[in-house]
Amino acid sequence: MDGIHDMGGMDGFGPIPIERDEPVFHAPWEGRVYAMNTAVGVWGKWNIDAGRYGIEMLDPALYLQSSYYERWLYRNENLLVEHGMITSEELSNGKASGGNRETPPNAEEIFEKQRKSRSFRVDEDIAPKFKPGDAITVRNIHPKTHTRIPRYVRSKRGVIDRDHGVFIFPDTHAQFQGTKPQHVYSVMFTAQELWGPDAPSQDKLYLDLWDDYMDPA
Amino acid sequence: MSDGHDHSHLSDTELRVRALESLLTDKGLVDPAALDAIVDRYENKVGPRNGAKVVARAWVDPEFKKFLLEDGTAAIGSLGYLGSQGADMVVLENTDKVHNVTVCTLCSCYPWPVLGLPPAWYKSFPYRARLVKEPREVLQEFGLELDDDVEVRVWDSTAELRYLVLPARPAGTDNMSEEELADIVTRNSMIGTETVASPAGGA
């Protein structure tokens, strides 16, 4: 989706807010949000792409006004209700409405799951559409739902740098419509292709794109 | 939550987080002790010291460095630092001619097992918006001036690959041990927003 989250290349946000010796969490509640996100994720009701889409669907004004972990909180509340883990009534009044009490995963089970997280690589022998050195054009497509093509590369010409192998396709995965496995590549763009003739001629940008995002140039 | 403190000063966000944790606990969906353990893990156990050990090993062991640059996942795995948000790793070598720097413009992708959780600036709107378009200006804000003969390569983490920058080993460190070298490697140098400085008194 062409959402507020797709920020690459925007102006007006000011200087980088560099903070020396910053803590991992700036307040205890941030750690609780982070930990709840991890712990409820272990139930497997949604996946990482659906989780990212959950943040992208926040109201744009709310997205900009909120801190990072506030966005995670709002996203988690929405996903918990959407996937039936809690009801909107429970969320608004804070009280569990009876029913069976589940047995939550303990810390060791959660860490074991994280250790075994074997990525989103798919062990399938699928032919790549491109090889290193191939010239490509990024498709000018505007999916209304989750996608990982930033706006700033659409219609731009790049060169395949390396093939990373076969991965889950986030556009369908986020919608629970299958994994549609395909190759992911690092693709190189010159700074001038992306930002025009005033950009330094020697500078480059690399990003990771799936087969379905590109055509031969 | 019943930690005995006066909660009258809590913000709306803090109250909302407490309410959610209380509800999820009541329903048996989360175990508060597991939440404590997760917070402790990322506050105290997993962090950029892991990545610094990878870098220091590459600085002292040319065979390991070659392995790391060719197959980041296997090399980092050999030291035990793979896992969630860092299962498929690519390592980028910074030299005096090529400077790599990483970002996630769409969200906050970052290699957790080697660097821990990202700093707030990495997740900030200015960094996400600006690095891809004006990396040299952004790096200047971190105190890094790059000459025109250096090629800047910005890596936008749009997929599930996670990137670790291998900073250049500074001059004046020939006599340092691997452990001492790991101590001078900064988190930002492994993101690419800094270089590693020569230690005080060195070079």
Side-chain angles (χ1 to χ4, degrees), chain B residues 48-57 114-115 181-183 185-186 190:
Chain B
R49 301 336 303 161
N50 290 352
K53 289 175 189 165
V54 175
V55 169
R57 173 69 55 85
V114 282
L115 295 185
L181 289 168
D183 283 342
V185 178
T186 62
M190 295 181 280

Side-chain angles (χ1 to χ4, degrees), chain B residues 5-19:
Chain B
H5 292 125
D6 173 12
H7 294 158
S8 58
H9 62 287
L10 292 177
S11 70
D12 288 348
T13 299
E14 287 170 301
L15 292 170
R16 194 161 162 173
V17 173
R18 283 174 187 235

Side-chain angles (χ1 to χ4, degrees), chain A residues 27-139:
Chain A
W29 70 263
E30 293 189 348
R32 303 316 279 183
V33 169
Y34 176 82
M36 277 193 273
N37 179 76
T38 302
V40 297
V42 169
W43 289 93
K45 301 287 187 186
W46 55 85
N47 60 56
I48 191 165
D49 294 305
R52 291 191 182 120
Y53 185 42
I55 289 186
E56 294 162 11
M57 284 191 297
L58 295 176
D59 178 87
L62 180 67
Y63 185 105
L64 291 174
Q65 288 164 359
S66 310
S67 71
Y68 182 75
Y69 286 111
E70 284 173 338
R71 293 195 293 276
W72 278 39
L73 170 66
Y74 307 151
R75 176 267 308 271
N76 283 348
E77 289 174 349
N78 292 343
L79 284 173
L80 286 160
V81 172
E82 184 185 333
H83 292 276
M85 294 178 76
I86 61 175
T87 66
S88 49
E89 292 72 29
E90 288 174 323
L91 182 63
S92 56
N93 66 26
K95 292 188 175 61
S97 62
N100 290 336
R101 189 177 186 283
E102 309 278 354
T103 303
N106 64 34
E108 203 36 57
E109 288 163 345
I110 292 168
F111 294 144
E112 184 60 18
K113 181 122 181 158
Q114 286 196 323
R115 269 192 293 276
K116 283 187 179 159
S117 171
R118 254 320 293 167
S119 80
F120 300 87
R121 196 179 277 286
V122 178
D123 189 19
E124 279 187 43
D125 190 17
I126 291 171
K129 286 188 186 165
F130 305 99
K131 62 182 186 304
D134 284 357
I136 61 90
T137 302
V138 181
R139 290 182 176 166

Side-chain angles (χ1 to χ4, degrees), chain A residues 129-130 133-141 149 153-160 187-189 193-194 207 209-217:
Chain A
K129 286 188 186 165
F130 305 99
D134 284 357
I136 61 90
T137 302
V138 181
R139 290 182 176 166
N140 182 22
I141 50 176
I149 324 179
V153 294
R154 294 184 197 162
S155 302
K156 302 296 185 185
R157 291 163 62 100
V159 175
I160 302 288
V187 186
M188 185 276 286
F189 299 85
E193 169 70 9
L194 299 175
L207 51 65
L209 296 173
W210 281 254
D211 270 324
D212 275 8
Y213 293 164
M214 299 183 284
D215 289 310

Side-chain angles (χ1 to χ4, degrees), chain B residues 47-56 59 89-92 94 100-102 110-111 114-116 121-122 163-167 182 184-196:
Chain B
R49 301 336 303 161
N50 290 352
K53 289 175 189 165
V54 175
V55 169
W59 283 352
M89 293 295 304
V90 177
V91 178
L92 308 166
N94 278 356
N100 297 282
V101 56
T102 61
Y110 190 77
V114 282
L115 295 185
W121 62 257
Y122 182 89
Y163 293 92
L164 180 73
V165 172
L166 174 62
I184 65 169
V185 178
T186 62
R187 176 194 65 203
N188 289 6
S189 74
M190 295 181 280
I191 301 172
T193 53
E194 292 174 1
T195 53
V196 179

Side-chain angles (χ1 to χ4, degrees), chain B residues 16-203:
Chain B
R16 194 161 162 173
V17 173
R18 283 174 187 235
L20 184 64
E21 181 175 340
S22 169
L23 175 62
L24 295 178
T25 303
D26 285 349
K27 291 183 70 74
L29 294 170
V30 303
D31 169 8
L35 303 186
D36 294 342
I38 293 167
V39 170
D40 176 60
R41 182 177 177 81
Y42 284 97
E43 282 193 325
N44 301 312
K45 299 191 174 89
V46 178
R49 301 336 303 161
N50 290 352
K53 289 175 189 165
V54 175
V55 169
R57 173 69 55 85
W59 283 352
V60 301
D61 181 345
E63 282 297 309
F64 181 78
K65 177 177 167 181
K66 186 165 176 281
F67 182 27
L68 185 65
L69 294 173
E70 285 175 0
D71 188 344
T73 304
I76 290 169
S78 75
L79 299 182
Y81 302 135
L82 294 178
S84 186
Q85 290 301 307
D88 287 285
M89 293 295 304
V90 177
V91 178
L92 308 166
E93 183 182 19
N94 278 356
T95 67
D96 55 1
K97 292 288 173 253
V98 174
H99 186 88
N100 297 282
V101 56
T102 61
V103 64
C104 173
T105 60
L106 296 174
C107 47
S108 55
C109 297
Y110 190 77
W112 292 357
V114 282
L115 295 185
L117 299 182
W121 62 257
Y122 182 89
K123 304 174 288 190
S124 73
F125 302 149
Y127 189 74
R128 290 168 51 195
R130 295 175 55 206
L131 188 77
V132 290
K133 187 154 103 181
E134 45 176 6
R136 288 170 185 268
E137 289 79 357
V138 169
L139 293 175
Q140 279 174 356
E141 292 178 24
F142 285 88
L144 184 57
E145 290 276 353
L146 294 174
D147 291 339
D148 287 347
D149 66 347
V150 176
E151 176 181 320
V152 176
R153 296 181 184 171
V154 176
W155 297 74
D156 188 357
S157 311
T158 44
E160 297 303 339
L161 287 309
R162 293 290 170 270
Y163 293 92
L164 180 73
V165 172
L166 174 62
R169 180 171 175 170
T173 57
D174 290 354
N175 296 324
M176 292 173 70
S177 69
E178 187 176 332
E179 290 72 24
E180 289 169 331
L181 289 168
D183 283 342
I184 65 169
V185 178
T186 62
R187 176 194 65 203
N188 289 6
S189 74
M190 295 181 280
I191 301 172
T193 53
E194 292 174 1
T195 53
V196 179
S198 292

